[in-house]
Amino acid sequence: MVDKTTKSQHSVLDAVDAGLIVLDRERRIVQWNAWMASASGYALADARGKRLAELFPGAVSGRLNAAIASALDSGVSSLLTHALHPLLFSLKTRSGRRLLHDVTVSAIGSCPETGCLVHISDVTMAVRRERYLRERQNARYDAIVASAPDVILTLDGEGVIRFANRAAVVQFGYSEQELIDKHAVVLFEPGSDWDDAWRRALADERLRQPVELVAHRKDGSATYFSLSASRWQDDSHVFVTAILRDINERRAADAALRAREEEARAAAAALAHLNLTLEERVEERSAQLLKVEEALRQSHKMEAIGQLTGGIAHDFNNLLQGITGALNMVQKRVGEGRIGEVDRFVKGALSSAERASALTHRLLAFSRLQPVDPRPVNMNQLIGAMEELVRRSIGESIRLQMDAGEDLWLVRCDPNQMENALLNLAINARDAMPDGGTLRIASSNESFDASQASIRDLEAGQYVRVTISDSGTGMPPEVQARAFDPFYTTKPIGKGTGLGLSMIYGFVRQSQGSIRIDSQVGKGTTIEICLPRFHGSLEPAVRNEGAVGAGHAGSNEVVLVVEDEDIVRLLVAEVLKDLGYRALEASDGGAGLRIVQSPQRIDLLITDIGLPGVNGRQLAHAARATRSNLKVLFMTGYAESAATGELLDEGMHIISKPFSMDNLAAKIREVIESSFNLDER
Amino acid sequence: MNPPPATVLDQLELDALTELVNLGIGQSALSLAEMVRDEVTLSVPKVALVSRDEAIRTLGEREAKNLVAVHQVFAGDITGRALLIFPEARSLELVRAVIGGSLSIEEIIELEQEALAETGNIILNGCLATIANQLQRNLKISLPEILHGEGKEFFNLAPPPDPGDVVMFIYIDFAVRRSDIQGYIAMLLDMPSIAALKNLLGEYIQRVAGDSPA
């Protein structure tokens, strides 16, 4: 029975297509299957009871012994591969060739292990198949590389050529042996882009586009390539494969194309030159024309100035007469001790001086030197505030109709000038309606497209439109055409200066707006003023200067007055003292500078702009350098900077001469009381 | 709720385990040195018990995506999986170091898988068998299998692992023939196995402490 089982086990073992060896604890062979007998040449009978080393002298490694020991001692399974143990045993295939095999050693039974199984598997086929596939793949790869029309070089990390294909031999004229081990850099022209391309390829940076290189053949002739290169790595070595494409033909074609382009460009340049000289000639003629035109305009201007000086000098003489006459009387009365009668003359002198002041303001506005004080304005509020004044100016016979647009946008302009303009236009309208009629003042928001804007000489955009319409006599076209000209008036002498509309025109244009006249004889006139929408909010304090006269006195704030005109400085200091402020005085910019740079408390700097030496503007900037929150009030007879649009810094204000003492006082108080703090922003 | 892996063993037990791992790795180094007939240094800078998720995270943070592992299972008083893991990019270098000589790259590629499996087998066997011997226990240890992939694949082999599994994470430095390769041995143990290990470590400590007069 036992014999039968053993026999059947034997036949099973013999049927297995792998080598099976069973060792006992003494490492002696107890089993040995038919496969083993065939591969080793020893029959089971010869092998039984022997140790492996006796059967395979020199072909049993320490590793195998260790594996057997650990299987017997610890139940550990071990793998011994042909890769690391090519010489283990010496077995042959049935055809007599060397057999490649993997060996596994494992324990039989556990705790305790009764023996050990050595299992030998034939991997000859698998290894051969793999080798064959690899060789075939290599052959395919070799065929591609060898037949490639482009030069293919494999370089090691040092840039030394390790492989070169047939195209490389043909292109460079070196033999393959000459190319291998040569440093690639010697193939390329010194200073060509090779070094950079090599560095980038080695750093594995992608070459965005092929690099064009000049290379030298063995015979020294130059040849052009476009290079693409990429880096690769086997286990520890870096390689770069460089592919060089012959671009000599393309370069020749490019050169030809460039030559043709050059010819075309030269022809175009000649034509351009011709055009240019033509343009120059046209320009020359235009310049002459402009010159003539300019001369004509100048003569018009001279004529205008002639009219102006005639008219204004007369007015001024009258006003000066009033002032000097009154002052003479004051002097006389004071000399006589009749102080009580002085007041009347002083008032007369003041009144004349104020009128003279108003006249110069208007002149300055006309010459666009009038200081503008633009601020956000709600046009409806402004018109509303003017309603009463307008009503009184136009009299009972004319009906006033106000059509205020809803949700009117803000604009930014000088509100005083706007009021002036409204009043002027209302008065013009009244004069156009001697027999009564209707004066309509309307406001609205308008969005002008490009064409609507261009007829008004504006940019397309959002505007607030104010129209002043009368139902009066209207204007003939020739009057309309000249209506904005300075000194042009249809009124009898003494009834107007002719400056009204031109002043308004100046103001509106200064505010980036437009003014238009729409008029028909007998049907009335509409004046349209458009001012650009202002995106911002209303400043909180739009103070009516006239209303600020009396009121609270200052509380010892210190005001530095810098003014080279002694009398003006004296007057300003007096006003300050009256207002309850402490005045410091300096007669030029240098003196002012010393004070502002001292630790002296200063709450307000009042300075003339035109000072000898350091001017008022420089003084203010120097003061702001150390006193960033210092309030500044400029006095000026020109307001040139304000008129040229140079904006005043925050906390800086301007008052133009001449000013009345009341106005000065109001302005000073307004400035001192205004809140402004740079640090808080 | 399972206790955090790091606290499953106390400091003394962890020290004992580290000692056993070092003994085992030493045995592996001897076996390898014998085979390659050159000096082999295997050292263990760190042993840590972590959760499976943490092991996956550690591998993800420290290593490239492509990893190679030699995988063996063991059964006995302690049952689990052992994985020798290192970056795939270093596998050729490891094979070249083990094979030595001046084989061409093609030849090395040809031998890579087998040589890797055997090298891993030697290292894991040395380690596992030594630990088992020291703990006076018997382990059946399977033949090696090569895995390629990411850490999370290695730690999610079927049958589905238990969330309470603990990974004994062993950092190893492997130096042979001027190559220096860092890798990991990860032993994935289930809760009963870790409990058995704890007991065995306790007995081991007692034996070792009993041996010394201190």
Side-chain angles (χ1 to χ4, degrees), chain A residues 217-360:
Chain A
R217 299 190 184 96
K218 190 180 181 184
D219 64 11
S221 59
T223 178
Y224 295 90
F225 289 111
S226 93
L227 165 77
S228 56
S230 59
R231 171 191 194 268
W232 56 278
Q233 190 165 10
D234 69 13
D235 57 333
S236 58
H237 295 106
V238 169
F239 293 97
V240 172
T241 293
I243 299 178
L244 296 160
R245 174 158 291 180
D246 180 347
I247 54 165
N248 289 299
E249 258 178 49
R250 205 187 75 204
R251 277 185 62 90
D254 278 357
L257 189 68
R258 258 199 295 278
R260 277 203 300 279
E261 273 177 4
E262 196 52 49
E263 276 170 30
R265 206 171 299 136
L271 196 64
H273 179 69
L274 206 69
N275 278 338
L276 199 67
T277 52
L278 191 68
E279 250 170 50
E280 266 170 19
R281 285 202 295 269
V282 169
E283 248 167 48
E284 213 170 278
R285 290 293 292 278
S286 307
Q288 282 175 0
L289 211 62
L290 278 174
K291 229 180 250 174
V292 172
E293 220 178 85
E294 182 59 30
L296 196 65
R297 207 184 351 250
Q298 194 59 26
S299 77
H300 271 304
K301 205 168 179 181
M302 291 311 289
E303 190 189 328
I305 289 171
Q307 287 181 26
L308 171 71
T309 40
I312 301 293
H314 178 257
D315 281 356
F316 248 102
N317 272 340
N318 282 341
L319 296 169
L320 285 173
Q321 181 59 55
I323 296 166
T324 49
L327 287 176
N328 282 339
M329 289 308 291
V330 169
Q331 197 176 25
K332 206 165 157 222
R333 293 288 184 262
V334 170
E336 292 165 0
R338 294 158 67 184
I339 304 289
E341 293 173 31
V342 164
D343 200 38
R344 187 155 66 96
F345 298 112
V346 170
K347 272 188 186 148
L350 276 176
S351 141
S352 293
E354 266 160 27
R355 276 158 60 207
S357 159
L359 188 59
T360 55

Side-chain angles (χ1 to χ4, degrees), chain A residues 77-144:
Chain A
S77 307
S78 295
L79 169 70
L80 288 82
T81 63
H82 72 96
L84 299 181
H85 307 277
L87 302 175
L88 193 61
F89 307 126
S90 41
L91 303 175
K92 295 210 161 31
T93 65
R94 286 185 169 87
S95 65
R97 284 191 295 170
R98 211 181 118 224
L99 194 130
L100 297 174
H101 55 267
D102 287 348
V103 177
T104 60
V105 180
S106 38
I108 299 174
S110 62
C111 299
E113 286 77 7
T114 55
C116 162
L117 177 71
V118 178
H119 175 269
I120 300 165
S121 46
D122 180 359
V123 295
T124 315
M125 282 282 281
V127 170
R128 291 243 167 87
R129 186 178 59 237
E130 218 167 278
R131 226 169 257 173
Y132 174 71
L133 282 176
R134 199 182 311 280
E135 274 162 16
R136 230 174 45 182
Q137 198 181 352
N138 284 351
R140 212 175 290 149
Y141 162 82
D142 286 346
I144 292 169

Side-chain angles (χ1 to χ4, degrees), chain B residues 94-111:
Chain B
L94 185 93
V95 171
R96 173 171 272 175
V98 169
I99 293 173
S102 54
L103 290 182
S104 75
I105 185 77
E106 273 80 17
E107 289 167 305
I108 288 179
I109 288 169
E110 207 173 279
L111 301 176

Side-chain angles (χ1 to χ4, degrees), chain A residues 324-483:
Chain A
T324 49
L327 287 176
N328 282 339
M329 289 308 291
V330 169
Q331 197 176 25
K332 206 165 157 222
R333 293 288 184 262
V334 170
E336 292 165 0
R338 294 158 67 184
I339 304 289
E341 293 173 31
V342 164
D343 200 38
R344 187 155 66 96
F345 298 112
V346 170
K347 272 188 186 148
L350 276 176
S351 141
S352 293
E354 266 160 27
R355 276 158 60 207
S357 159
L359 188 59
T360 55
H361 267 262
R362 274 150 65 187
L363 284 168
L364 282 169
F366 159 57
S367 67
R368 300 212 187 163
L369 286 175
Q370 169 72 22
V372 286
D373 185 12
R375 23 178 117 175
V377 169
N378 178 328
M379 197 59 86
N380 281 344
Q381 268 178 20
L382 183 141
I383 296 169
M386 291 289 291
E387 184 175 349
E388 189 49 39
L389 189 59
V390 169
R391 203 178 290 282
R392 234 186 290 153
S393 304
I394 57 178
E396 301 280 323
S397 60
I398 294 169
R399 200 167 71 82
L400 179 61
Q401 184 189 334
M402 307 282 265
D403 290 332
E406 277 178 25
D407 299 324
L408 206 63
W409 295 324
L410 293 182
V411 294
R412 189 170 148 83
C413 68
D414 184 330
N416 293 327
Q417 300 233 33
M418 186 64 211
E419 286 169 0
N420 229 338
L422 268 179
L423 197 59
N424 252 298
L425 292 172
I427 288 168
N428 281 353
R430 175 199 68 192
D431 294 345
M433 299 183 283
D435 303 323
T438 302
L439 172 65
R440 180 171 172 270
I441 301 180
S443 61
S444 60
N445 292 331
E446 300 291 337
S447 292
F448 292 139
D449 61 24
S451 68
Q452 289 170 318
S454 80
I455 56 168
R456 294 173 171 87
D457 196 16
L458 293 173
E459 305 272 314
Q462 294 180 316
Y463 293 86
V464 169
R465 184 163 87 146
V466 177
T467 52
I468 297 95
S469 315
D470 64 55
S471 56
T473 49
M475 292 183 217
E478 66 272 16
V479 174
Q480 276 185 53
R482 297 193 62 191

